[in-house]
Amino acid sequence: MWLKPEEVLLKNALKLWVLERSNQYFVLQRRRGYGEEGGGGLAGLLVGTLDAVLDSTSKVAPFRILHQTPDSQVYWSIACGASREEITEHWDWLENNVMNTLSVFDSNEDITSFVQGKIRGLIAEEGKGSFVKEEDPEKFREGLMKFERCFGLPEQEKLVTYYSCSYWKGRVPCQGWLYLSTNFLSFYSFLLGAEIKLIISWDEISKLEKTSNVILTESIHVCSRGEDHYFSMFLHINETFLLMEQLANYAVRRLFDKETFENDLVLHDPLQITKRLPKEETLKEVHECFLWVPFTHYNTHGKMCISENYICFASQDGSLCSVIIPLREVIGVDKADPANRGVSISTKGKRAFRFTEVKDFEQLVTKLQIKCNATSNPQHIISTEVATSSASDSPKDFDELPAKTGQRDTSKTVSTEALMTVYHPQDAENLDSKMLKEKMKEQSWNILFVERGHGVSMFRTKKTRDLVVRGIPEALRGELWLLFSGAVNDMASNPGYYTELVEKSLGTCTLATDEIERDLRRSLPEHPAFQSDTGISALRRVLTAYAYRNPQIGYCQAMNILTSVLLLYAKEEEAFWLLVAVCERMLPDYFNRRIIGALVDQAVFEELIRVHLPQLTDHMTDMTFFSSVSLSWFLTLFISVLPIESAVNVVDCFFYDGIKAILQLGLAVLEYNMEKLLTCKDDAEAVTVLNRFFDSVTNKDSPLPPAVQQGANLSDTKSDHPKVDITDLIRESNERYGDIRYEDVESMRCRNRLYVIQTLEATTKQNVLRVVSQDVKFSPSDLDDLYDLFKKEHFLSCYWNVNSPVLRHHDASLPYLEQYRIDCQQFRVLCHLLSPWSHCANRDSLALWTFRLMDESSDGLINFKQFACVLDTMYNGSFTDKLKFLFKLHIPPAFTEVESLSPSKGGDLSKEELIHFSQLSVSSTGDNLESNALKSSPEKGKGKVDIQAYLKQWQDELLKKEENIKDLPRMNQSQFIQFSKTLYNLFHGDPEEELLYRAIAVVTSLLLKMEEVGRRLQGPMSPVKSPAAVTEVSAESLQKGPEEGSSEQTEGGRAQSLKGNHEWSFAFEQILASLLNEPAFVRFFEKPHEIKAKIESAKNLQLKARTRVGKRIQLNLNKEMYLIIYLMSVSGDARQKAWGPEPALPLPGGRLSGDRASPSSGLGDFALRSPVLPSSPMPLLCRVPAPGTTSSCASGCVGTGTKACAEERF
């Protein structure tokens, strides 16, 4: 590559470099030790090691070109190369384009300036199609060039950054360079002649963590495909790990967790990841400052974070003070006390927040003023009114929302009261001891509101947490849930949204609505609110509206239990927005089809158990016990295991502290039952212990009537477990495990997400292999490798295309076999890598027809079972199976006429052509199959998945009988011609190639004679053309140019013309019987093929195959190719005399690779006459004599080279 010119001193250079070429102005040098036998001795090994460690491509490359001027001791490095071919190309360019120009300059300075300008221009030209930007430093550019040269990845792969580090191979550290790109983690090292090259795709990583031990003080551990890799000696290990974690998370979410990825718009652009610092989801500013706390009369130190919609403050001095200010609430931002760099923020609740010691406070004030003006435009007026009411002291203002916003009365369809107020109204006159305690709680909260504010912008302190732990009063529970969860902001910003959703979703019929109807009566069935139509209808509306809003989630069974509790304390619309907050923010990925979020938090829970409860970990042999037991805890927030009066206190803490509250309570439950769990002998006994404990949990201060309280209904005789008050349990969990930080939880989530998703993928793989192994003869290890290649090919099409159609088809909710499917282009790549017939000249056509044969549903995709069965036929099938497979490839629906739009490409098809032909319907049979597929597929043409249709389809597959060869349709003329061509190409390179060619001619002649005799016996007086004549007509039509032929005749038109001429055809039994008489044919198809070698080769070439797409050098072959085969089979003189000068691109040696025909024999093996031969028409599969020789064709006719055949008969 060309380098930015830099001065080089040659005083000591001769010790490291060897002169290769030189002229008056340039010098080409080779690195000492490179290209020498034995590596150049010790000096060569030391130089190579030094090159791998140094960070300069100009020093690492084994070849370089220097610019020099006469009488000057200064040299300039202008180019380097990784191979002799590359550097020679640069040298030749300099000699041809620069050397002659330099002679016109008078001074050496002018020569040097001209050369430097020319090189910089070349560098700029190279950088146009590269990811290197002008603002990138020269060092990064050199690193990128080295990355591209060392690993050979496609040009679309974007290098993010690279680091110097050590890779531990066993106990030996190897110093080298770690390259982080958007889809791969790559490492390169060269030490003392040993080269290490490592490429790991991010989607294969199952564990990524920072570790430390006695040997490695701090390292990064990467686990991929069961192999452990350790990297250490980073200059900034925290920055490196953060970026690696982000890249791995990006790949996993995009490729495996499609539902989450689609909901995160920022992840859709991989270029959001920069090489310096990872970008956050939204651009944020963080300022260290002090906040004036009016009720304590002092400034608390902390950090102020500014996002697009909020200003947040969190103290860092132990006071646990935090504030959240929505920008829509802000009415003024001013400078306050410039001497102390103060900023004053005023809100609509007549409150002011004063921040001091703010860095760049003047710029901050200007930015906030612009943001606040943007959120105070007329379209936010409705939002402001709702926000004002939410911040007011009276929660009853929410009832006036429909009147204020002008919405029509929807009380008939949407409930405007919480169910608890309807079914359990408080009696203000008859107050028992529990109600008195409830009133005292309300008074405590009212005092807090006076001191710390009421509404979204209230101060949240340790006292607020203590009140939440004691339990929120029944009257304030719904309002405070809205405030703490942030749902009040969503509702205020979307007035009327819920009522519109209800109107749109009512009456819809989907799989989600069916599941909702089934679970409605199972939602808190013991509560009176859900024993009547009022509660059931409200629950139906909320769940159906949410399923309509978020079809990616739709409905999950745990959602009905959670929503039931929300409806008890919140109005219907408020319950809907609370559900939105829980499903989409507070518990991300919990309620999708694979509940990935819940599984990730369970892994976090297991990790916390190992840290805080090591005795329990040592006792339990299998940690998965905790996952199976705690799944319902996380999905339902303990509602499904605790009595309702106790569970609502857990929900209080959850809305205030998030998932941290659930983790803390889970640890407290296990610790409380530690002694009993340690004595348990099996999992069943441990589950019994925990169930008895949950039954004993009570809420002694609950004001709910005894008929509703679940804990009160349990008699003391049923359990000897002592009663446990939920308030004491929650308080203890806060005291013991309150030091768990949000940052630690998020870090553990990110770390365990990789493991959870890879575990799910491993389960999918096991199920697929178990199903497919019953239908193929491959060994388990080979089948495992084939699945990895298949899945890898699926992902390779997604790496550099965010909107890949294959990625859109990936759906984890589908049956295991249907989760990963590939299209025709991907199948072609795999077919070229794995097929034993990949050497065939028309391999693209074979891949296309094979794909069409497998694509029974006509949706352009095939699954792994179909792919494995085809390969199994090629490798392990009998002679009859392989021949039947080839026969079916050349009849509809698989077969279609294939003509490349670019004749210069020969038999190769472009990606667009391949996709076009794969989707082409060729006959009524194919149309019928497609229509049948539409009828039988459970998903085609319906708004929901029909489970019964899936069951029927599965039953039909089980009862499917083996295909009878008599049921196969007959093969017509054009199909038989192509079938013969395919056989001809398959034999290329075989040791018995000549025998196989003769056998083709013999068998074909026999079949044609049999067909001719049969037709004459059927109707001797009928005007039936002979097969030879029909062949002549077909051949003459091929003599027209590709454009003329394609415009005159479509495939259907050709078929109609052949029908009118009483086209001859063959049955499979005829072809099979004829070929069985040829021992060479039988030996060829029964010859065993070993797939292991192909698999190992495919592993190494699969990624490189992507880099070669669009770059393959195409030979300028004739459309039929057989003409050149014929020309190359004769001597050069005879060919020159008969056909004129050599083609523009002559093939070396007068033959194709594999010696298709021996020139000395004078025989050219032909599969079909060429459309451009200047001779009379030739019969099908005639053995054409070479010009100047005499020989007979397969039918016994004689020619002298002037004619293709002396007689046109068989």
Side-chain angles (χ1 to χ4, degrees):
M1 68 175 181
W2 300 108
L3 300 176
K4 180 181 177 181
E6 293 182 357
E7 286 190 16
V8 176
L9 296 178
L10 294 184
K11 183 177 181 181
N12 298 319
L14 295 180
K15 297 179 181 179
L16 301 176
W17 296 91
V18 178
L19 182 65
E20 290 275 315
R21 297 185 188 181
S22 65
N23 56 37
Q24 187 178 1
Y25 297 106
F26 300 102
V27 176
L28 191 156
Q29 295 178 335
R30 172 179 52 82
R31 195 70 164 169
R32 185 175 296 278
Y34 183 86
E36 300 179 13
E37 294 184 3
L42 180 60
L45 294 178
L46 291 176
V47 171
T49 301
L50 181 65
D51 291 342
V53 175
L54 293 179
D55 179 25
S56 177
T57 307
S58 59
K59 298 173 184 176
V60 173
F63 296 95
R64 70 176 182 179
I65 297 177
L66 305 179
H67 164 60
Q68 64 173 351
T69 54
D71 304 327
S72 174
Q73 298 299 319
V74 179
Y75 287 73
W76 298 83
S77 63
I78 60 174
C80 67
S83 63
R84 190 179 299 275
E85 292 75 14
E86 180 184 0
I87 203 69
T88 302
E89 182 183 352
H90 288 347
W91 180 267
D92 294 340
W93 188 90
L94 290 171
E95 288 188 335
N96 297 331
N97 298 278
V98 179
M99 284 292 297
N100 296 332
T101 308
L102 297 181
S103 60
V104 303
F105 291 99
D106 297 330
S107 65
N108 293 339
E109 291 78 7
D110 293 340
I111 293 175
T112 301
S113 298
F114 175 79
V115 171
Q116 291 179 355
K118 198 73 173 176
I119 299 303
R120 288 192 178 95
L122 292 173
I123 293 174
E125 189 67 25
E126 282 182 352
K128 286 183 178 180
S130 173
F131 281 106
V132 179
K133 305 299 179 184
E134 293 181 1
E135 63 268 23
D136 287 334
E138 183 68 21
K139 183 178 179 181
F140 182 77
R141 178 183 176 275
E142 292 182 358
L144 176 59
M145 296 298 182
K146 182 179 177 181
F147 167 74
E148 294 174 347
R149 186 185 71 247
C150 289
F151 302 103
L153 296 174
E155 295 178 354
Q156 301 93 328
E157 182 66 12
K158 179 182 182 294
L159 177 65
V160 178
T161 188
Y162 63 101
Y163 300 96
S164 174
C165 69
S166 292
Y167 171 67
W168 289 80
K169 192 173 184 181
R171 295 185 178 182
V172 180
C174 303
Q175 185 67 26
W177 292 92
L178 179 70
Y179 296 88
L180 306 181
S181 57
T182 50
N183 296 292
F184 299 96
L185 179 154
S186 310
F187 178 82
Y188 181 82
S189 173
F190 183 87
L191 290 175
L192 301 178
E195 184 183 51
I196 298 176
K197 188 181 296 186
L198 185 69
I199 302 177
I200 303 174
S201 58
W202 294 113
D203 56 88
E204 294 177 349
I205 294 178
S206 59
K207 183 179 290 186
L208 179 65
E209 59 183 356
K210 283 193 295 185
T211 60
S212 61
N213 52 38
V214 178
I215 300 177
L216 302 177
T217 55
E218 212 171 13
S219 63
I220 296 177
H221 173 213
V222 177
C223 182
S224 171
R225 293 182 177 271
E227 297 182 5
D228 294 316
H229 308 277
Y230 291 90
F231 303 91
S232 64
M233 299 183 186
F234 290 95
L235 185 60
H236 303 289
I237 190 170
N238 291 328
E239 175 190 336
T240 306
F241 180 75
L242 180 64
L243 189 55
M244 292 172 68
E245 199 174 44
Q246 185 189 18
L247 287 166
N249 183 60
Y250 164 79
V252 166
R253 285 178 179 268
R254 188 165 83 90
L255 300 177
F256 297 115
D257 193 7
K258 184 180 68 173
E259 296 162 329
T260 305
F261 182 82
E262 290 179 347
N263 294 330
D264 194 341
L265 298 179
V266 178
L267 290 177
H268 279 239
D269 185 8
L271 301 184
Q272 289 286 335
I273 304 171
T274 63
K275 71 179 183 64
R276 294 175 179 84
L277 289 177
K279 292 186 178 180
E280 301 295 336
E281 181 176 349
T282 55
L283 181 61
K284 296 190 298 184
E285 295 184 37
V286 180
H287 301 272
E288 286 197 20
C289 61
F290 290 87
L291 172 63
W292 172 253
V293 184
F295 49 87
T296 58
H297 303 288
Y298 74 89
N299 288 309
T300 180
H301 177 260
K303 288 186 177 181
M304 176 174 59
C305 301
I306 302 173
S307 64
E308 295 180 353
N309 300 303
Y310 295 94
I311 301 173
C312 307
F313 176 86
S315 64
Q316 294 181 309
D317 55 6
S319 62
L320 299 179
C321 178
S322 62
V323 175
I324 299 175
I325 309 172
L327 288 177
R328 60 179 176 78
E329 292 283 326
V330 177
I331 59 175
V333 180
D334 303 297
K335 300 176 186 177
D337 193 5
N340 293 324
R341 295 179 293 178
V343 178
S344 177
I345 300 176
S346 304
T347 62
K348 296 170 184 174
K350 297 182 180 180
R351 299 184 61 86
F353 300 89
R354 189 177 68 186
F355 300 89
T356 56
E357 301 300 329
V358 181
K359 186 179 180 180
D360 299 330
F361 74 104
E362 294 181 348
Q363 298 180 6
L364 178 61
V365 169
T366 303
K367 291 179 182 178
L368 290 179
Q369 288 175 345
I370 295 174
K371 281 179 173 289
C372 294
N373 291 334
T375 57
S376 61
N377 54 31
Q379 65 180 352
H380 292 81
I381 291 179
I382 295 178
S383 174
T384 301
E385 293 179 359
V386 179
T388 303
S389 64
S390 67
S392 64
D393 293 341
S394 174
K396 296 180 180 179
D397 291 344
F398 282 117
D399 297 336
E400 302 175 7
L401 176 62
K404 289 184 179 182
T405 57
Q407 300 291 334
R408 59 180 179 273
D409 183 18
T410 57
S411 59
K412 295 182 180 179
T413 56
V414 177
S415 176
T416 57
E417 287 186 309
L419 296 178
M420 193 63 74
T421 60
V422 176
Y423 288 90
H424 307 294
Q426 296 182 2
D427 188 355
E429 297 179 358
N430 302 321
L431 297 178
D432 56 11
S433 59
K434 291 186 178 181
M435 287 304 301
L436 287 174
K437 288 185 179 181
E438 190 75 6
K439 290 298 181 181
M440 292 176 62
K441 284 185 181 180
E442 291 184 26
Q443 187 63 27
S444 299
W445 278 97
N446 289 331
I447 294 173
L448 182 75
F449 292 152
V450 173
E451 291 181 354
R452 291 158 173 76
H454 187 192
V456 183
S457 303
M458 65 184 294
F459 282 89
R460 306 181 189 191
T461 62
K462 187 176 184 300
K463 185 176 181 181
T464 311
R465 183 191 298 276
D466 292 339
L467 290 178
V468 172
V469 169
R470 289 171 53 190
I472 299 176
E474 300 280 318
L476 298 177
R477 182 161 275 142
E479 178 191 355
L480 292 179
W481 283 359
L482 285 169
L483 294 178
F484 294 149
S485 66
V488 63
N489 299 312
D490 297 332
M491 188 172 67
S493 303
N494 298 277
Y497 176 78
Y498 174 67
T499 55
E500 292 179 6
L501 275 185
V502 170
E503 293 176 0
K504 292 178 181 179
S505 61
L506 283 180
T508 58
C509 182
T510 62
L511 183 61
T513 57
D514 291 345
E515 294 177 353
I516 290 171
E517 290 296 328
R518 186 172 60 249
D519 290 343
L520 285 177
R521 303 289 175 180
R522 306 175 186 174
S523 308
L524 297 183
E526 67 283 345
H527 199 284
F530 298 99
Q531 295 172 359
S532 65
D533 186 62
T534 302
I536 294 295
S537 298
L539 181 61
R540 177 188 293 112
R541 287 192 293 270
V542 173
L543 293 176
T544 305
Y546 185 79
Y548 187 87
R549 162 191 165 87
N550 193 343
Q552 284 82 9
I553 292 179
Y555 171 75
C556 182
Q557 283 189 338
M559 292 169 64
N560 65 315
I561 300 175
L562 176 61
T563 308
S564 301
V565 175
L566 298 179
L567 284 169
L568 290 177
Y569 296 97
K571 301 168 189 177
E572 189 175 319
E573 183 178 6
E574 295 171 354
F576 170 79
W577 287 111
L578 283 170
L579 183 63
V580 170
V582 171
C583 295
E584 299 177 11
R585 286 200 308 273
M586 303 188 73
L587 295 179
D589 307 340
Y590 261 61
F591 301 101
N592 57 21
R593 294 182 176 95
R594 294 197 292 178
I595 57 171
I596 290 178
L599 297 176
V600 170
D601 281 346
Q602 284 183 292
V604 173
F605 186 52
E606 290 180 9
E607 193 171 338
L608 291 173
I609 293 174
R610 295 188 186 96
V611 174
H612 296 280
L613 303 174
Q615 294 178 346
L616 194 59
T617 305
D618 296 338
H619 177 72
M620 303 298 295
T621 57
D622 187 4
M623 290 293 289
T624 57
F625 162 75
F626 299 109
S627 298
S628 59
V629 170
S630 63
L631 180 60
S632 61
W633 303 358
F634 289 92
L635 284 175
T636 65
L637 308 179
F638 284 93
I639 296 173
S640 62
V641 294
L642 286 175
I644 183 63
E645 66 274 10
S646 301
V648 291
N649 285 36
V650 179
V651 179
D652 294 341
C653 298
F654 168 74
F655 279 123
Y656 188 82
D657 274 334
I659 192 61
K660 178 173 174 282
I662 306 300
L663 294 170
Q664 291 175 177
L665 184 59
L667 291 173
V669 168
L670 294 178
E671 185 184 16
Y672 195 94
N673 296 274
M674 175 80 75
E675 295 182 1
K676 294 183 178 180
L677 290 174
L678 291 177
T679 60
C680 293
K681 298 179 181 180
D682 53 29
D683 294 350
E685 190 175 349
V687 171
T688 303
V689 169
L690 293 175
N691 288 338
R692 288 178 178 175
F693 169 77
F694 288 130
D695 291 339
S696 67
V697 176
T698 62
N699 188 351
K700 59 184 180 181
D701 296 331
S702 175
L704 294 179
V708 177
Q709 294 190 31
Q710 298 174 357
N713 296 332
L714 298 174
S715 62
D716 295 336
T717 58
K718 290 185 178 180
S719 174
D720 56 354
H721 203 289
K723 299 297 181 182
V724 180
D725 186 67
I726 187 63
T727 304
D728 297 335
L729 186 62
I730 293 176
R731 184 182 293 111
E732 185 177 354
S733 70
N734 272 276
E735 292 174 354
R736 289 184 175 271
Y737 308 108
D739 58 344
I740 297 176
R741 301 188 309 159
Y742 293 104
E743 294 83 353
D744 296 335
V745 172
E746 287 302 318
S747 177
M748 287 187 286
R749 274 179 165 179
C750 192
R751 182 166 62 248
N752 285 284
R753 175 178 288 274
L754 297 175
Y755 170 75
V756 168
I757 291 182
Q758 293 294 355
T759 302
L760 292 174
E761 290 299 310
T763 303
T764 299
K765 178 179 178 179
Q766 292 172 3
N767 285 282
V768 170
L769 295 183
R770 186 178 66 250
V771 172
V772 176
S773 61
Q774 301 174 6
D775 299 326
V776 298
K777 299 177 183 178
F778 290 124
S779 66
S781 60
D782 290 342
L783 198 60
D784 187 281
D785 291 336
L786 286 175
Y787 181 86
D788 290 338
L789 290 170
F790 183 88
K791 181 178 172 183
K792 188 69 175 179
E793 188 61 34
H794 169 93
F795 284 145
L796 282 174
S797 68
C798 310
Y799 281 166
W800 305 284
N801 184 6
V802 175
N803 298 318
S804 169
V806 177
L807 186 61
R808 290 199 299 269
H809 285 293
H810 175 49
D811 189 350
S813 66
L814 293 175
Y816 290 118
L817 276 173
E818 302 300 322
Q819 287 188 21
Y820 292 109
R821 297 187 290 172
I822 59 175
D823 59 20
C824 191
Q825 164 66 12
Q826 296 166 302
F827 175 75
R828 172 171 66 171
V829 174
L830 288 178
C831 200
H832 290 177
L833 292 173
L834 295 170
S835 172
W837 303 334
S838 58
H839 63 277
C840 187
N842 63 334
R843 60 179 187 170
D844 278 0
S845 299
L846 277 181
L848 168 66
W849 298 330
T850 305
F851 182 85
R852 289 170 60 88
L853 180 65
M854 292 185 292
D855 185 18
E856 298 176 355
S857 60
S858 301
D859 59 356
L861 297 168
I862 62 170
N863 59 36
F864 177 71
K865 182 179 180 180
Q866 296 166 320
F867 171 76
C869 289
V870 163
L871 283 182
D872 185 65
T873 301
M874 294 180 181
Y875 280 93
N876 303 318
S878 63
F879 173 79
T880 304
D881 293 335
K882 293 178 181 179
L883 194 63
K884 182 172 67 174
F885 172 69
L886 287 172
F887 183 88
K888 291 169 68 174
L889 292 185
H890 294 81
I891 58 175
F895 179 77
T896 181
E897 291 286 350
V898 177
E899 288 186 4
S900 174
L901 300 179
S902 177
S904 62
K905 292 185 178 181
D908 292 325
L909 299 174
S910 67
K911 179 180 178 180
E912 293 75 15
E913 293 169 350
L914 197 72
I915 297 299
H916 166 71
F917 287 125
S918 68
Q919 298 173 349
L920 190 65
S921 178
V922 297
S923 67
S924 58
T925 306
D927 295 338
N928 293 336
L929 288 172
E930 184 176 358
S931 62
N932 292 336
L934 287 171
K935 293 178 182 178
S936 62
S937 175
E939 295 179 285
K940 302 285 184 180
K942 296 186 179 181
K944 62 178 182 178
V945 178
D946 190 344
I947 303 299
Q948 297 297 328
Y950 266 127
L951 294 175
K952 186 177 184 303
Q953 186 177 4
W954 176 62
Q955 184 180 14
D956 293 341
E957 290 181 358
L958 292 178
L959 298 176
K960 187 186 297 182
K961 297 181 180 179
E962 185 177 355
E963 185 180 35
N964 193 332
I965 61 175
K966 294 183 178 180
D967 298 332
L968 293 174
R970 295 174 68 86
M971 180 180 284
N972 64 27
Q973 171 197 333
S974 62
Q975 296 162 3
F976 182 73
I977 292 174
Q978 188 59 56
F979 177 73
S980 302
K981 286 184 185 180
T982 301
L983 291 178
Y984 180 88
N985 287 310
L986 284 179
F987 303 148
H988 174 53
D990 190 87
E992 295 184 326
E993 184 177 3
E994 188 68 24
L995 289 176
L996 291 168
Y997 292 155
R998 295 180 182 275
I1000 291 178
V1002 171
V1003 170
T1004 307
S1005 300
L1006 177 62
L1007 288 171
L1008 292 175
K1009 289 178 180 178
M1010 292 170 56
E1011 181 66 17
E1012 179 73 11
V1013 171
R1015 287 201 170 273
R1016 289 178 178 175
L1017 291 176
Q1018 288 178 2
M1021 301 303 294
S1022 60
V1024 179
K1025 292 189 177 182
S1026 67
V1030 175
T1031 306
E1032 178 183 342
V1033 173
S1034 176
E1036 289 176 352
S1037 65
L1038 290 174
Q1039 292 183 3
K1040 301 178 180 179
E1043 297 180 359
E1044 183 181 356
S1046 61
S1047 61
E1048 282 190 9
Q1049 273 192 325
T1050 62
E1051 186 175 342
R1054 187 181 296 114
Q1056 291 296 330
S1057 64
L1058 292 173
K1059 271 187 179 181
N1061 291 329
H1062 303 283
E1063 179 186 357
W1064 44 269
S1065 61
F1066 299 105
F1068 175 72
E1069 301 98 303
Q1070 294 175 286
I1071 298 177
L1072 176 62
S1074 302
L1075 293 179
L1076 282 173
N1077 291 325
E1078 296 293 332
F1081 268 107
V1082 179
R1083 287 194 300 270
F1084 176 82
F1085 282 107
E1086 291 187 346
K1087 181 169 52 179
H1089 295 278
E1090 183 60 48
I1091 197 173
K1092 283 187 180 295
K1094 282 280 189 179
I1095 290 176
E1096 293 302 320
S1097 175
K1099 289 179 180 178
N1100 298 324
L1101 298 177
Q1102 187 176 25
L1103 188 58
K1104 295 180 181 179
R1106 285 279 163 183
T1107 65
R1108 294 196 299 265
V1109 172
K1111 292 185 177 181
R1112 292 175 301 186
I1113 301 177
Q1114 303 287 350
L1115 292 176
N1116 188 18
L1117 300 178
N1118 184 275
K1119 182 175 65 176
E1120 291 296 322
M1121 295 181 64
Y1122 304 104
L1123 171 62
I1124 294 183
I1125 294 172
Y1126 171 76
L1127 293 176
M1128 294 300 104
S1129 68
V1130 300
S1131 63
D1133 295 339
R1135 182 169 62 246
Q1136 179 92 4
K1137 180 178 179 181
W1139 309 105
E1142 293 284 342
L1145 291 177
L1147 298 180
R1151 60 182 71 174
L1152 291 179
S1153 59
D1155 292 340
R1156 183 173 294 251
S1158 173
S1160 60
S1161 67
L1163 293 175
D1165 293 309
F1166 243 96
L1168 180 67
R1169 66 174 302 284
S1170 171
V1172 294
L1173 278 175
S1175 60
S1176 59
M1178 181 193 72
L1180 181 67
L1181 297 174
C1182 178
R1183 306 272 301 175
V1184 184
T1189 62
T1190 302
S1191 180
S1192 60
C1193 70
S1195 302
C1197 50
V1198 180
T1200 60
T1202 56
K1203 287 187 178 182
C1205 246
E1207 208 169 22
E1208 291 182 28
R1209 58 182 177 82
F1210 288 85

